[in-house]
Amino acid sequence: MAEAYIIDAVRTPRGIGKPGKGALSHLHPQHLSATVLKALKERNHLDTATVDDVIWSTSSQKGKQGGDMGRMAALAAGYDVQASGVTLDRFCGGGITAVNLAAASIMSGMEDCVIAGGCEMMSYTATLGAEEANAGIAPLGMGAGNAALDALHPQSHQGVCGDAIASLEGISREDVDALALASQQRAATAIAEGRFAKSVIPVLNENGSVALDREEFPRPETTAETLATLKPSFGAIANFDLGEGNTFAKQIQRRYPDLEITPVHHAGNSSGVVDGAAALLLASKEYADEHGLKPRGRVVAFANIGDDPTLMLNAPVPAAKKVLAKAGLTTDDIDVWEINEAFAVVAEKFIRDLKLDRAKVNINGGACALGHPIGATGAVLIGTALDELERSGGRYGLVTMCAAGGMAPAVIIEKL
């Protein structure tokens, strides 16, 4: 089987994902995607006519984020028309999946140069969602309106699922706040020391001025005391009337009838709502040699798995075990772990279940501090893991994340 080399990884800084408030919120998602594609082209002197495909991840594929952003962004970035593009959706896990599919096409020998990544403008999707709600358009959720699916796998709100998992696992408010505080502190250190400088590229406005050249979301002034003052976000949502006496909490309690859900998650220990894009350049050995490209890493193994869709967020642990088995590695072999902090309980449970050294997990902070641009996050984390392996001298990194519907993709990379 051919090797899939990682040649380069770039991303935008993450902007606050609120309409009119974030530094990127006035831009078109295609512009943000084209920004990272242009950077890969320029940094690597890439002949874009030789790019076999652009595999892109976007979760909310409608409005400005619809219409195959992978292809349209490549054209907007000035790529040769021969560089085709496709856009996929695995909810939060799409960014990892885009990279895994790119690696698979290279490892199969069918393609030699593939770009993988994603984009999510949460400031835009928030506006679009509000407009649709005002127009009386029902949201397209996981199995929304599908009574047969709901009977088999009742689905709840992700934040309520996070609280339910914490309640089931005996993970306290203090536990999730401590993880979120560590995330802020680690992100602050990483930013101060320039650990993201290799991958982060500035986003320019249409007139060439700088829209954003730094992370906009982190709150380095966060303390345990300030986190403790924040009101849980999902208590009221848990009891939201879905009709016929049903609520998000009752959706979960249909499967776990004795569970009393204690709200523990809030804005400070949940993933930040942000705008962002990221991309990786992958190539075969033959392509890299022919074009004088020096590989930074390689894809060792990847895997996908599903878990309980009612709790929704618990698949990362079995995904990590599956990909480790495929690679013939153990947890002791992994130097850098990136587990998306969709909610602090996801990372906390992951660390506990796999008995990991916390010093190796989300070393430079996670989504509680830096934000989670849904479709882009997986590609962001793979680039972050590669940067950290190079900085610290580690060999293997494992990246995984929960995705709606109870799924998780995972990938192991090796620094070269």
Side-chain angles (χ1 to χ4, degrees):
M1 186 179 296
E3 296 280 15
Y5 287 143
I6 301 173
I7 306 300
D8 201 6
V10 298
R11 66 174 176 86
T12 68
R14 282 159 278 196
I16 293 171
K18 294 183 178 180
K21 294 184 179 180
L24 302 176
S25 63
H26 64 291
L27 297 171
H28 195 289
Q30 191 171 285
H31 178 87
L32 211 60
S33 298
T35 296
V36 291
L37 293 178
K38 284 180 182 178
L40 283 181
K41 176 179 67 173
E42 293 167 0
R43 283 164 52 129
N44 298 282
H45 308 290
L46 185 63
D47 177 3
T48 58
T50 66
V51 175
D52 292 308
D53 209 359
V54 176
I55 303 178
W56 213 243
S57 162
T58 303
S59 186
S60 295
Q61 294 182 33
K62 50 187 177 180
K64 293 179 182 180
Q65 291 199 162
D68 190 358
M69 198 187 305
R71 170 62 170 173
M72 297 302 110
L75 294 174
Y79 277 40
D80 191 279
V81 295
Q82 293 183 76
S84 64
V86 64
T87 302
L88 59 86
D89 174 17
R90 197 194 289 276
F91 302 114
C92 298
I96 294 177
T97 294
V99 174
N100 291 351
L101 290 177
S105 69
I106 293 169
M107 295 165 79
S108 72
M110 292 295 103
E111 295 184 315
D112 288 292
C113 178
V114 184
I115 291 172
C119 174
E120 205 83 36
M121 295 283 291
M122 298 183 76
S123 58
Y124 168 67
T125 56
T127 302
L128 186 61
E131 291 173 352
E132 289 180 343
N134 290 334
I137 301 173
L140 295 176
M142 293 149 289
N146 186 333
L149 177 59
D150 181 65
L152 286 169
H153 300 293
Q155 313 246 350
S156 186
H157 183 281
Q158 289 191 1
V160 180
C161 290
D163 288 342
I165 292 167
S167 299
L168 281 167
E169 298 290 330
I171 296 173
S172 69
R173 166 70 182 263
E174 291 74 20
D175 293 331
V176 288
D177 278 0
L179 188 139
L181 178 59
S183 184
Q184 291 285 355
Q185 292 170 337
R186 292 179 178 192
T189 297
I191 292 168
E193 295 183 358
R195 297 185 188 180
F196 300 142
K198 188 170 188 176
S199 295
V200 174
I201 56 170
V203 179
L204 305 182
N205 292 309
E206 296 288 353
N207 64 7
S209 62
V210 174
L212 186 64
D213 60 0
R214 59 177 178 80
E215 296 290 348
E216 190 177 31
F217 189 79
R219 298 175 294 278
E221 70 281 3
T222 300
T223 65
E225 290 73 23
T226 58
L227 287 173
T229 66
L230 297 177
K231 182 180 178 181
S233 300
F234 305 110
I237 293 174
N239 296 311
F240 181 78
D241 186 4
L242 299 173
E244 299 181 354
N246 201 10
T247 66
F248 284 121
K250 288 181 179 178
Q251 290 286 79
I252 295 173
Q253 289 162 345
R254 283 163 57 189
R255 291 285 306 280
Y256 302 90
D258 298 326
L259 176 63
E260 292 187 15
I261 302 173
T262 300
V264 296
H265 287 96
H266 49 75
N269 59 30
S270 304
S271 57
V273 175
V274 295
D275 300 331
L280 289 88
L281 173 61
L282 291 91
S284 66
K285 182 182 187 303
E286 292 76 16
Y287 183 96
D289 289 345
E290 180 182 350
H291 293 84
L293 298 172
K294 183 180 179 180
R296 296 175 57 193
R298 73 178 183 100
V299 174
V300 177
F302 49 85
N304 302 293
I305 204 164
D307 201 86
D308 181 0
T310 298
L311 290 177
M312 201 179 300
L313 311 176
N314 279 342
V317 169
K321 291 179 178 178
K322 185 176 181 179
V323 77
L324 284 167
K326 284 182 175 292
L329 300 173
T330 71
T331 55
D332 292 335
D333 295 312
I334 304 301
D335 303 295
V336 172
W337 297 83
E338 288 288 340
I339 165 68
N340 187 42
E341 296 168 357
F343 301 93
V345 73
V346 176
E348 182 65 25
K349 183 178 187 300
F350 188 83
I351 292 168
R352 294 184 184 196
D353 285 1
L354 294 176
K355 298 178 175 59
L356 301 181
D357 178 354
R358 290 178 183 269
K360 295 183 178 182
V361 183
N362 297 353
I363 296 167
N364 296 307
C368 288
L370 294 159
H372 172 26
I374 310 294
T377 301
V380 171
L381 296 185
I382 295 170
T384 298
L386 181 58
D387 285 345
E388 179 57 28
L389 288 170
E390 291 175 337
R391 185 193 74 85
S392 63
R395 181 177 180 183
Y396 292 114
L398 191 154
V399 183
T400 188
M401 59 200 306
C402 58
M407 299 182 290
V411 62
I412 293 174
I413 63 171
E414 180 183 13
K415 180 203 68 179
L416 297 179

